[in-house]
């Protein structure tokens, strides 16, 4: 049911309140009961929307998610609220008061921008998606700051706005799109649109090749609680700059253009850089901060002899280094009474679940095993999180 209008009526809203929190196992019974007094399509639409709202809690929080409206694609592709709020705050700091939000989707970024006091023109060519964005602006009391327009973004005049924000579609009928020129609209078009504004931000996949970053753009990789969420190309800020931003915080590591860190023997501590640091190619900056080096020239693990606090990497104290051998690992874990085993890997083809099944950890203690390479050799490192 693509038309949201029935759900926006008093009857539809009452149904949404009634089906909130319905467990999947109870949906059939609930639907059967409600269809006695309400049209079957409306009941189905309300239950479908309730499922989407439950999925959206992880991105938007309980309060907003249960007031907003969603499409399946919109839940999947929308920006996490914490990331959108960070970006809106940065635009505010840059003196932006109005933004043309192109490819606005269900309006997640537009909502964050409006809450930061920024006037937003939100554009999407899909009628159902635009209708959803409009309903969300109204549901959250932001309709006075958000104008939703159903249109092709390539035909929209953005000259009346301080900034342009573009979030091209990066999924097609066959899943994720990895070629930036296959985005909709293509990255080249988005870059051209960005260059027409005083300030612009383009949301792109975090796996974008660094060589695809224009020379006049700042590239920023953003993680939230250690999970890499996106990359952003900024125009009108610091051309050529590279940064990794960690949320909550925010904490930002700006690249200093350092050469690759040296490869050195394993020290007492192993540091696992945040994913945004790795994607931004700033492992060298973290290694320099820790006075450390790499275990292997191709692996993003930093090792050092001393424990130093850093928000950009998680520290582990390493107790054992073994050549890759499942039997030896199993014997060691049994000897240590390890029943809670965390498996991490970089540069290894072994799947963590597969290893866990083979070693069958048992006991009261916990440990972390790293499957990696040390100077090119497959290696297992055993340790525990280090308290800084």
């Amino acid at each position: 049911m693509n038309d949201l209008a029935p759900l926006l009526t008093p009857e539809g809203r009452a149904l949404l309140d009634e089906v909130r929190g319905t467990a999947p196992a109870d949906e059939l019974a609930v639907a059967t009961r409600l269809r006695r007094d309400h049209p079957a399509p409306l009941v189905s639409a309300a239950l479908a929307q309730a499922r989407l709202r439950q999925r959206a809690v992880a991105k938007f929080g309980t309060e907003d998610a249960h007031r907003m409206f969603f499409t399946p694609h919109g839940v999947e592709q929308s920006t996490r609220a914490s990331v959108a709020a960070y970006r809106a705050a940065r635009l505010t700091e840059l003196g932006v008061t109005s933004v043309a939000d192109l490819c606005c989707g269900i309006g997640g970024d537009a909502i964050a921008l409006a809450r930061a006091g920024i006037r937003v023109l939100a554009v999407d060519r899909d009628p159902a998606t635009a209708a959803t964005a409009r309903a969300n602006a109204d549901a959250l009391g932001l309709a006075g700051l958000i104008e939703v327009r159903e249109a092709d973004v390539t035909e929209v005049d953005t000259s009346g706005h301080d900034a342009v924000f573009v979030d091209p579609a990066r999924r097609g009928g066959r899943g994720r799109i990895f070629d930036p020129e296959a985005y909709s609209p293509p990255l080249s078009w988005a870059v051209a649109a960005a260059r027409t504004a005083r300030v612009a931000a383009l949301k792109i996949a975090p796996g974008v090749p660094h060589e695809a970053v224009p020379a006049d753009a700042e590239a920023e990789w953003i993680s939230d609680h250690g999970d890499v969420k996106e990359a952003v190309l900024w125009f009108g800020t610091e051309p050529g700059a590279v940064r990794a931003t960690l949320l909550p915080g925010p904490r930002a590591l700006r690249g200093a253009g350092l050469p690759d860190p040296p490869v050195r023997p394993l020290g007492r501590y192993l540091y696992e850089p945040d994913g945004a640091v790795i994607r931004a190619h700033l492992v060298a900056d973290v290694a320099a901060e820790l006075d450390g080096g790499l275990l292997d020239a191709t692996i993003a693990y930093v090792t050092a002899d001393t424990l130093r606090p850093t928000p950009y990497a998680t520290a582990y104290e390493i107790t054992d280094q073994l050549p890759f051998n499942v039997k030896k690992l199993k014997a060691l874990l049994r000897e240590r009474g390890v029943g809670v085993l965390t498996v991490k890997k970089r540069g290894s083809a072994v799947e963590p679940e597969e290893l866990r099944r083979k070693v069958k950890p048992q006991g009261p203690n916990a440990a972390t095993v790293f499957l990696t390479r040390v100077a090119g050799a497959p290696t297992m490192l055993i340790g525990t999180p280090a308290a800084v």
Side-chain angles (χ1 to χ4, degrees):
M1 188 172 182
N2 292 325
D3 186 0
L4 279 177
L7 290 176
L8 301 178
T9 64
E11 182 183 14
R13 292 181 183 276
L15 265 180
L16 285 171
D17 289 339
E18 189 165 353
V19 301
R20 176 175 174 171
T22 300
D26 299 330
E27 280 192 5
L28 181 58
V30 170
T32 300
R33 174 175 56 81
L34 293 176
R35 284 170 181 163
R36 297 170 189 155
D37 301 310
H38 305 281
L42 181 59
V43 172
S44 296
L47 285 168
Q49 192 61 225
R51 287 195 300 271
L52 292 173
R53 285 178 166 183
Q54 289 171 9
R55 287 173 54 194
V57 167
K59 284 189 174 184
F60 291 92
T62 301
E63 184 176 351
D64 279 355
H66 287 288
R67 295 164 63 193
M68 294 171 65
F69 297 87
F70 300 95
T71 64
H73 181 78
V75 171
E76 182 72 24
Q77 293 298 300
S78 56
T79 302
R80 184 177 289 264
S82 56
V83 178
Y86 159 73
R87 185 164 39 241
R90 189 169 180 198
L91 285 166
T92 300
E93 292 170 1
L94 291 168
V96 170
T97 61
S98 63
V99 171
D101 178 1
L102 308 181
C103 309
C104 70
I106 62 168
D109 282 283
I111 289 166
L113 292 165
R115 282 177 167 167
I118 296 173
R119 181 171 55 86
V120 185
L121 169 63
V123 184
D124 203 285
R125 68 181 180 183
D126 179 68
T129 302
T132 304
R134 193 174 291 112
N136 286 334
D138 183 65
L140 299 180
L142 299 169
L145 283 170
I146 301 174
E147 174 195 346
V148 180
R149 186 180 302 175
E150 181 189 328
D152 186 328
V153 296
T154 64
E155 300 174 358
V156 173
D157 180 10
T158 62
S159 60
H161 297 80
D162 296 338
V164 168
F165 172 66
V166 190
D167 182 5
R170 297 180 300 283
R171 279 186 179 270
R174 297 183 178 180
R176 291 182 181 178
I177 297 172
F178 297 98
D179 178 7
E181 284 308 296
Y183 291 173
S184 180
L187 181 60
S188 57
W189 179 89
V191 169
R195 288 172 174 154
T196 66
R198 179 176 68 83
V199 176
L202 311 183
K203 176 182 171 182
I204 57 177
V208 65
H210 278 234
E211 55 267 25
V213 176
D216 58 337
E218 171 196 340
E220 178 181 35
W221 279 261
I222 303 173
S223 68
D224 186 17
H225 289 89
D227 189 9
V228 182
K229 292 301 176 184
E230 63 185 59
V232 184
L233 301 183
W234 291 90
F235 293 81
T237 54
E238 300 178 71
V242 176
R243 73 170 70 196
T245 298
L246 282 56
L247 302 177
R251 296 181 175 90
L253 177 65
R254 191 179 185 281
L258 300 179
D260 291 339
V263 174
R264 52 152 290 174
L266 175 68
R268 182 176 178 182
Y269 297 98
L270 178 74
Y271 291 85
E272 181 182 26
D274 183 271
V277 171
I278 296 172
R279 293 284 193 175
H281 294 182
L282 298 182
V283 174
D285 298 78
V286 172
E289 177 185 323
L290 299 170
D291 193 23
L294 299 180
L295 291 171
D296 185 277
T298 63
I299 305 295
Y301 281 141
V302 175
T303 187
D305 298 316
T306 57
L307 181 61
R308 298 183 183 181
T310 175
Y312 305 114
T314 302
Y316 296 83
E317 184 173 6
I318 301 302
T319 56
D320 300 273
Q321 177 180 352
L322 303 172
F324 184 85
N325 186 300
V326 175
K327 289 184 178 180
K328 288 184 178 180
L329 176 64
K330 185 175 181 178
L332 178 64
L333 296 178
R334 185 185 300 116
E335 177 186 329
R336 304 275 173 83
V338 173
V340 180
L341 182 66
T342 300
V343 182
K344 294 176 173 287
K345 69 165 194 168
R346 288 197 189 282
S348 173
V350 178
E351 291 300 324
E353 285 304 319
E354 176 188 354
L355 180 69
R356 199 175 282 108
R357 283 195 302 269
K358 289 181 177 179
V359 300
K360 299 176 182 178
Q362 294 180 8
N365 300 320
T368 300
V369 59
F370 295 87
L371 307 179
T372 188
R373 293 195 302 270
V374 173
T379 303
M380 300 182 297
L381 305 174
I382 297 89
T384 56
V388 179

